[in-house]
């Protein structure tokens, strides 16, 4: 991987670049039924109603309000980007987010034998002027999670010390301090039984979600802290 010159690592430059990326991704955006309040989805098919009618093939889903994920999401093949602006992304009780072309075990996943490596499932969730709130019961999340002018928070009760570990397969860009503080899970570290386990994977590079291609080069400036 190549990283471009030093000046684009500066916070101001990255913030300006983010606004430019999102403006291009949502240019001439139009959905079938404009929303006046929070959007509620229970599966991936529900999310598809927020794709751009002017260009449905680009796999970008945009909402200018809060998005409530009320049920598990199975990400289909292809690269997808979900943009939530001026609202929160709320991931509800047991609303795990997983890839269609992967088989999940404890603390790991493997590619299915018949996975199409040329069209791997990948997803990014971009939240602008809002937070990502993750219910304490959620155990598995995949994809890129990027928060600008907000953070990642635990919602509901504190994570149970026995059975409520959170595993994220992908990348996190944003402030996760609250998520860490509200995670009481305890397990042997030699088995990767940390309260929050983030396993960086290669899908963001192999099949980059739309609108994020430039992020991959230099967004280490805003990684989780």
């Amino acid at each position: 991987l190549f990283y471009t010159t030093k000046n684009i690592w500066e916070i101001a430059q990255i913030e300006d670049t983010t606004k430019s990326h999102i403006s291009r991704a949502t240019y001439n955006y139009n959905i079938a039924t404009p929303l006046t309040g929070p959007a509620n989805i229970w599966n991936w098919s529900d999310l598809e109603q927020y794709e751009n009618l002017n260009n449905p093939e680009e796999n970008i889903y945009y909402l200018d309000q809060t998005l409530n994920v009320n049920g598990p999401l199975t990400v289909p093949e292809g690269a997808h980007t979900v943009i939530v602006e001026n609202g929160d992304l709320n991931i509800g009780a047991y609303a795990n987010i997983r890839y269609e072309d992967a088989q999940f075990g404890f603390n790991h996943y493997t590619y299915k034998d018949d996975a199409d490596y040329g069209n791997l499932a990948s997803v990014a969730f971009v939240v602008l002027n809002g937070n990502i709130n993750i219910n304490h019961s959620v155990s598995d999340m995949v994809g890129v999670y990027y928060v600008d002018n907000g953070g990642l928070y635990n919602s509901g009760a504190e994570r149970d010390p026995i059975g409520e570990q959170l595993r994220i397969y992908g990348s996190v860009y944003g402030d996760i301090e609250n998520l860490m503080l509200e995670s009481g899970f305890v397990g042997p570290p030699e088995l990767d039984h940390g309260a929050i386990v983030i396993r960086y994977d290669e899908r963001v590079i192999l099949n980059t979600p739309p609108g994020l291609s430039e992020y991959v080069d230099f967004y280490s400036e805003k990684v989780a802290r």
Side-chain angles (χ1 to χ4, degrees):
L1 294 177
F2 289 91
Y3 292 92
T4 47
T5 55
K6 177 180 178 297
N7 67 321
I8 67 169
W9 287 67
E10 297 174 357
I11 290 291
Q13 176 66 28
I14 290 176
E15 289 176 346
D16 288 343
T17 305
T18 300
K19 294 175 183 177
S20 176
H21 292 170
I22 299 306
S23 294
R24 290 199 302 270
T26 60
Y27 177 74
N28 200 26
Y29 204 92
N30 182 38
I31 61 174
T33 306
L35 289 173
T36 57
N40 293 281
I41 65 171
W42 281 262
N43 52 52
W44 190 266
S45 296
D46 289 342
L47 181 62
E48 291 177 342
Q49 65 184 299
Y50 305 113
E51 65 186 4
N52 188 356
L53 292 179
N54 294 322
N55 189 3
E57 302 302 321
E58 67 184 355
N59 291 340
I60 290 179
Y61 314 92
Y62 175 73
L63 299 98
D64 190 15
Q65 67 269 316
T66 291
L67 171 62
N68 299 318
V69 179
N70 300 318
L73 291 184
T74 300
V75 182
E77 289 187 341
H80 310 267
T81 298
V82 180
I83 301 172
V84 176
E85 189 169 12
N86 301 318
D88 295 336
L89 171 61
N90 298 318
I91 302 175
Y94 302 102
N96 293 323
I97 302 173
R98 294 183 167 186
Y99 289 129
E100 178 183 76
D101 55 10
Q103 296 172 327
F104 287 79
F106 185 78
N107 266 324
H108 73 280
Y109 76 80
T110 58
Y111 293 101
K112 289 183 178 180
D113 292 338
D114 59 349
D116 179 4
Y117 290 96
N119 193 34
L120 286 174
S122 67
V123 67
F125 295 89
V126 177
V127 178
L128 307 174
N129 303 319
N131 301 310
I132 297 179
N133 301 305
I134 305 168
N135 188 271
H136 66 95
S137 62
V138 174
S139 60
D140 294 302
M141 294 166 53
V142 299
V144 176
Y145 296 86
Y146 172 80
V147 184
D148 193 357
N149 199 24
L152 289 87
Y153 291 84
N154 185 68
S155 66
E158 181 178 303
R159 286 185 171 271
D160 186 79
I162 302 300
E164 292 190 337
Q165 182 190 44
L166 174 61
R167 301 173 289 270
I168 301 175
Y169 307 93
S171 306
V172 178
Y173 299 84
D175 186 350
I176 63 171
E177 181 177 3
N178 174 269
L179 193 61
M180 293 290 191
L181 292 175
E182 293 288 324
S183 298
F185 181 86
V186 178
E190 68 271 16
L191 298 179
D192 284 334
H193 283 197
I196 307 291
V197 175
I198 301 176
R199 290 188 173 277
Y200 295 91
D201 71 9
E202 70 278 15
R203 290 183 184 238
V204 68
I205 297 172
L206 295 177
N207 198 14
T208 304
L212 264 69
S213 58
E214 298 92 340
Y215 295 169
V216 177
D217 286 339
F218 57 80
Y219 261 29
S220 295
E221 176 70 30
K222 296 177 75 71
V223 294
R225 63 175 178 84

